[in-house]
Amino acid sequence: MATIDRAAMRVAVLEGGISDERDISFNSGHAVARALGDAGYGVIDELDPNEDDFLERLAGGAYDVAFIALHGRGGEDGMIQSILEYLGIPYTGSGVIASASAADKTVSKALYARAGIPIARDVVLRDDDDVCIADIVDAVGSECFVKPAVNGSSFGVTLVHDESELPDALELVFEHDTKALIEERLVGTEITVGVFGFPPQALPIVEILPQKNSEFYGLDVKYIDPSLVHRIPAQISKEDYERAQELAVRAHEALGCIGFSRSDFIVTKHGPVILETNTIPGMTETSLFPDEARHAGISFPEVCDELIHIALTEVEE
């Protein structure tokens, strides 16, 4: 595409929203707005879809592009993408179908399996299903993770150590979603792999270091000093490293993602097994994706600028 005149562009940064990750989204949006200012963009407005006048401001703002910094429900599930499509406003990140597919872990797992990407054993339950604890244990084992099928940032997730904990874990998960994903607990090294650009390329892999007071990468760990949690590059075998990068790009493509994504894996003794793909990774100062990009020599303003270029290129095509 032709070089854009950044100073003449009007950008709407969409942040906040309606999900459990609302506060995190504000942090991402503020960071993106600062980065776009550093990159030389002229008008940068931060808009919250949860405000009463949001649609009026969005439709009447004469925006050249929207930068989506919304996480979870309403942001990563295709909802805001559909609104932007209807209004004819180009936007960063993945489209409606890819966003919806990645947001629902049961759908994304089906697409992973079809693409030959290893996945964990699971059971899917709806909130009105009859529950048989013994059947769940038979399918995934007594140690398992119970998580909302559609949610992010570990809200509603429980690590279950034995079957006695399953009823409480299910009660919690159905406070966040009407569909639960129950997965076997995988043993190994937790890593995350960012994918960026067009054509998509894998970024340096981050290893998630275990924390003394946390059994998994939950809310109490995700937003502390990244130097305490992230190790780049991940200390895994060369074979597993290259395999994880390959699988992350394959997941990105299987879902139909655009611009960027971040896939999480457990590296087991048999190799990497995918957990999920985030189509709008966190963009705060402590987030994983910006950390990976920095280690690839890509500054945060450069990341945000390139995502806008890709969004506008998609429109031209």
Side-chain angles (χ1 to χ4, degrees):
M1 64 173 286
T3 302
I4 61 175
D5 182 357
R6 296 180 183 85
M9 292 198 70
R10 297 179 61 85
V11 183
V13 177
L14 308 186
E15 60 189 46
I18 60 175
S19 79
D20 290 335
E21 299 173 82
R22 175 176 169 80
D23 291 341
I24 300 160
S25 173
F26 276 124
N27 292 336
S28 286
H30 298 335
V32 166
R34 289 193 297 271
L36 292 176
D38 292 341
Y41 284 84
V43 175
I44 305 162
D45 293 337
E46 298 180 50
L47 306 182
D48 178 6
N50 201 38
E51 295 293 331
D52 292 339
D53 63 348
F54 168 71
L55 288 176
E56 180 181 353
R57 292 182 64 193
L58 180 64
Y63 293 112
D64 297 291
V65 65
F67 196 111
I68 304 176
L70 298 163
H71 308 308
R73 186 168 64 92
E76 286 185 87
D77 56 4
M79 187 185 300
I80 193 66
Q81 290 80 5
S82 296
I83 292 170
L84 292 164
E85 294 274 359
Y86 187 81
L87 293 175
I89 301 174
Y91 55 88
T92 57
S94 298
V96 176
I97 295 175
S99 298
S101 298
D104 188 326
K105 297 179 181 67
T106 64
V107 175
S108 59
K109 289 188 74 174
L111 293 172
Y112 298 150
R114 184 176 179 180
I117 302 169
I119 57 175
R121 293 178 298 153
D122 65 45
V123 172
V124 179
L125 290 176
R126 295 192 176 273
D127 57 358
D128 57 355
D129 285 341
D130 292 330
V131 176
C132 177
I133 299 297
D135 288 346
I136 295 173
V137 172
D138 285 344
V140 301
S142 57
E143 282 195 297
C144 57
F145 279 94
V146 179
K147 58 184 73 172
V150 182
N151 210 342
S153 211
S154 300
F155 286 98
V157 176
T158 301
L159 169 57
V160 170
H161 302 88
D162 62 67
E163 62 186 68
S164 67
E165 298 175 2
L166 269 168
D168 286 343
L170 289 170
E171 182 178 350
L172 174 63
V173 80
F174 289 130
E175 293 176 6
H176 293 266
D177 196 1
T178 58
K179 185 166 62 171
L181 177 66
I182 307 168
E183 289 184 317
E184 65 175 315
R185 183 184 189 184
L186 298 170
V187 177
T189 302
E190 187 167 0
I191 62 171
T192 187
V193 190
V195 174
F196 179 60
F198 185 82
Q201 301 290 324
L203 295 173
I205 297 177
V206 177
E207 179 181 351
I208 308 300
L209 300 175
Q211 301 298 298
K212 289 183 179 179
N213 298 320
S214 182
E215 292 186 281
F216 66 100
Y217 191 50
L219 287 170
D220 55 340
V221 177
K222 287 189 174 182
Y223 304 106
I224 65 175
D225 182 351
S227 66
L228 302 176
V229 184
H230 308 173
R231 178 159 61 189
I232 309 176
Q235 301 301 295
I236 56 178
S237 71
K238 182 175 184 291
E239 179 183 7
D240 285 335
Y241 198 102
E242 293 175 351
R243 175 67 169 161
Q245 287 187 313
E246 173 203 339
L247 292 175
V249 173
R250 194 187 300 179
H252 181 95
E253 295 175 333
L255 293 169
C257 295
I258 297 171
F260 68 153
S261 68
R262 200 200 75 230
S263 291
D264 302 334
F265 297 84
I266 299 293
V267 182
T268 72
K269 63 181 180 180
H270 302 296
V273 178
I274 197 165
L275 299 177
E276 64 178 324
T277 299
N278 298 274
T279 55
I280 305 179
M283 301 292 265
T284 70
E285 294 177 359
T286 61
S287 297
L288 291 159
F289 188 90
D291 214 0
E292 294 180 64
R294 278 193 296 273
H295 280 77
I298 309 168
S299 71
F300 191 49
E302 288 173 329
V303 168
C304 296
D305 181 47
E306 179 62 16
L307 290 174
I308 286 180
H309 274 263
I310 292 171
L312 296 176
T313 300
E314 283 291 310
V315 171
E316 289 185 351
E317 293 178 349

